[in-house]
Amino acid sequence: MGWYDRRIRRVRDLPCGDTRIFLEIEVRRVRCRSCGKVKRERLDFLADNPLYTKRFAHYVGQRCRQATIKDIAEELKLDWDTVKTLEKQYMQAQLARAGRPGPKAIGIDEISIRKGHSYRIVVSDLIRRRPIWFGGEDRSEASMAQFYDWLGPKKSRGIRLAVMDMWKPFRNTTRERAPQAAVLFDKFHIIRHLGEALDKVRKTEYARLSGKGRRFIKGQKYTLLARHENLSLEGRRSLKLLLAANKRLNTAYVLKESFGQLWDYEREGWARRFFENWRASLKWQRLAPYEKFAGMIDRHWDGIAAYCKPENKVSLGFRRGPQQQDPRHPAPRLRSTRPGISAAQGAHMHAPSALKLPKTPTRLPKTHIL
């Protein structure tokens, strides 16, 4: 079999310092004797995009773990879509090396991919502290079942702990597909509900008062919702004036701050006694949002009491991003999955973009052709 024709192609390789390196290689086409078609020879050192070498694609993927795609495109003088494509090739190679995970403790959360109620499910390995699955069409039981179908029945039986919010489809599917796993409700999600109850009390008090009585409450929403140790000196002064001026908000704030002790107990009995005492303190306080919150905790007690067991003590910070833990920020939105990327890879694709490095100098690099 002889070659049909040949041409010179310029391929980008790893840079040398601030100098861009291009390789000029000869690529041949051959005529296949069996089918009669003309085909281009495959060179093993080229990436899926034949204008770049594999090691250059690997370098781009490694840089995308530390900086945004936009910054890498500016640094290497590449198009945004080109960097994205090379990053996906890098992640596909990493996932092939990692294999199918077998998590023991998982965190389940939803994330918005665009404006409106359009969600995808993210599942993380809480022990290894990395996302392992991103997919589904919404937050339904059918979408949650896709994760367990992907994981397989054998590895699903190995899950001993599942951390999630109180969304019923997540809970129902997990108890059906992994019945041996203990279900633990995320305490950040519970505290968010308590913060919403406190904010409703604040709004009620603002509507009840008039004139000068409102001036202590106006603009103090996040002063009430933030933890006391996180407040600035000015914030602490404003909080002190507010609590001194409004008895009902003072009571609601003290109850909110004290509720965090629930997760310090190592025995379910003591945790339940604390909750019952906390709930009893609501009597005669006319705090309807708090009474509703206490009823919600009572209905979901099994998933809260599970935190008392020592074997269920895992770090929950990785399950929810910093923006989701802070009520002042909305849940982050991600791009929807692009063609050629599987659901399991989606979580890895977006994680590197959360970190930024200082931008490189804007001067044009030198170019060298070998």
Side-chain angles (χ1 to χ4, degrees):
M1 182 187 298
W3 52 273
Y4 179 79
D5 62 6
R6 59 185 178 180
R7 59 179 298 182
I8 301 299
R9 174 180 294 170
R10 181 180 295 183
V11 178
R12 186 163 179 180
D13 198 15
L14 285 176
C16 180
D18 62 348
T19 303
R20 288 183 290 177
I21 303 297
F22 290 84
L23 306 179
E24 288 189 347
I25 59 177
E26 183 182 89
V27 180
R28 296 176 295 182
R29 293 196 302 168
V30 297
R31 185 187 298 275
C32 180
R33 293 179 179 177
S34 59
C35 64
K37 295 181 178 180
V38 177
K39 299 182 179 180
R40 183 180 291 109
E41 65 176 336
R42 182 184 297 275
L43 300 178
D44 293 336
F45 62 89
L46 294 184
D48 294 345
N49 185 333
L51 297 179
Y52 306 93
T53 63
K54 283 185 176 179
R55 58 186 182 182
F56 180 75
H58 182 80
Y59 171 76
V60 172
Q62 284 186 320
R63 292 289 293 115
C64 286
R65 297 175 71 99
Q66 302 170 329
T68 64
I69 294 176
K70 180 180 178 181
D71 288 343
I72 299 303
E74 292 179 357
E75 174 188 336
L76 300 177
K77 308 303 175 185
L78 294 172
D79 182 69
W80 190 96
D81 290 315
T82 300
V83 176
K84 184 67 176 181
T85 301
L86 296 176
E87 182 199 18
K88 289 194 292 186
Q89 295 176 21
Y90 169 80
M91 293 308 304
Q92 288 168 351
Q94 296 300 307
L95 289 171
R97 293 177 58 187
R100 189 67 57 86
K104 301 299 180 184
I106 61 172
I108 305 171
D109 200 6
E110 75 278 354
I111 195 164
S112 174
I113 62 171
R114 61 175 65 91
K115 291 184 178 180
H117 297 282
S118 182
Y119 298 98
R120 294 296 182 267
I121 300 173
V122 179
V123 182
S124 304
D125 187 333
L126 296 181
I127 296 177
R128 300 184 68 181
R129 299 181 65 80
R130 66 184 182 96
I132 58 175
W133 190 82
F134 173 85
E137 290 77 34
D138 46 28
R139 300 184 294 169
S140 64
E141 293 185 15
S143 293
M144 189 69 243
Q146 291 180 19
F147 163 71
Y148 292 104
D149 292 337
W150 171 79
L151 192 63
K154 182 178 180 180
K155 292 186 176 181
S156 296
R157 290 192 296 269
I159 300 174
R160 63 170 180 82
L161 179 65
V163 182
M164 64 189 73
D165 56 27
M166 290 179 282
W167 186 244
K168 186 177 292 185
F170 293 171
R171 184 169 73 251
N172 292 344
T173 306
T174 299
R175 286 176 174 169
E176 177 186 351
R177 306 295 291 272
Q180 78 290 340
V183 174
L184 177 63
F185 295 134
D186 179 15
K187 65 180 181 181
F188 298 112
H189 181 80
I190 296 172
I191 292 297
R192 182 173 65 83
H193 279 282
L194 181 57
E196 291 174 355
L198 175 59
D199 191 47
K200 289 180 181 178
V201 174
R202 182 191 66 85
K203 291 178 180 178
T204 302
E205 288 298 291
Y206 186 82
R208 185 178 65 87
L209 299 174
S210 61
K212 295 183 178 180
R214 289 184 169 185
R215 64 189 180 95
F216 296 104
I217 302 177
K218 187 175 181 180
Q220 299 302 320
K221 175 180 178 179
Y222 299 115
T223 302
L224 284 169
L225 294 180
R227 294 180 64 88
H228 189 269
E229 57 268 22
N230 295 334
L231 290 174
S232 63
L233 182 60
E234 182 180 354
R236 294 186 181 186
R237 289 173 179 170
S238 300
L239 179 63
K240 186 176 180 180
L241 287 173
L242 171 61
L243 299 183
N246 193 293
K247 182 179 179 181
R248 189 171 298 170
L249 276 178
N250 186 15
T251 303
Y253 180 81
V254 171
L255 287 170
K256 188 265 291 188
E257 288 291 298
S258 64
F259 189 81
Q261 299 177 29
L262 180 65
W263 286 275
D264 295 335
Y265 292 99
E266 296 182 355
R267 294 181 181 272
E268 182 180 348
W270 286 105
R272 184 68 191 190
R273 179 177 295 184
F274 167 81
F275 172 68
E276 292 296 343
N277 291 336
W278 187 89
R279 191 177 190 178
S281 64
L282 298 178
K283 192 175 182 180
W284 312 116
Q285 299 299 333
R286 292 181 294 176
L287 297 172
Y290 274 51
E291 294 174 1
K292 184 178 179 180
F293 169 78
M296 182 193 69
I297 296 298
D298 192 37
R299 292 192 301 271
H300 298 85
W301 178 255
D302 291 342
I304 298 172
Y307 193 79
C308 298
K309 299 179 181 180
E311 61 270 21
N312 294 339
K313 300 287 187 180
V314 295
S315 176
L316 305 181
F318 182 75
R319 194 191 79 89
R320 303 183 66 81
Q323 287 184 320
Q324 291 172 289
Q325 295 179 30
D326 192 338
R328 291 172 289 183
H329 298 286
R333 294 193 300 271
L334 297 181
R335 289 179 180 267
S336 57
T337 51
R338 296 168 65 88
I341 190 69
S342 67
Q345 293 168 306
H348 298 278
M349 294 295 103
H350 298 288
S353 300
L355 301 176
K356 285 191 176 182
L357 291 181
K359 293 186 177 181
T360 53
T362 55
R363 65 185 182 89
L364 292 176
K366 303 174 185 176
T367 301
H368 188 65
I369 300 177
L370 296 180

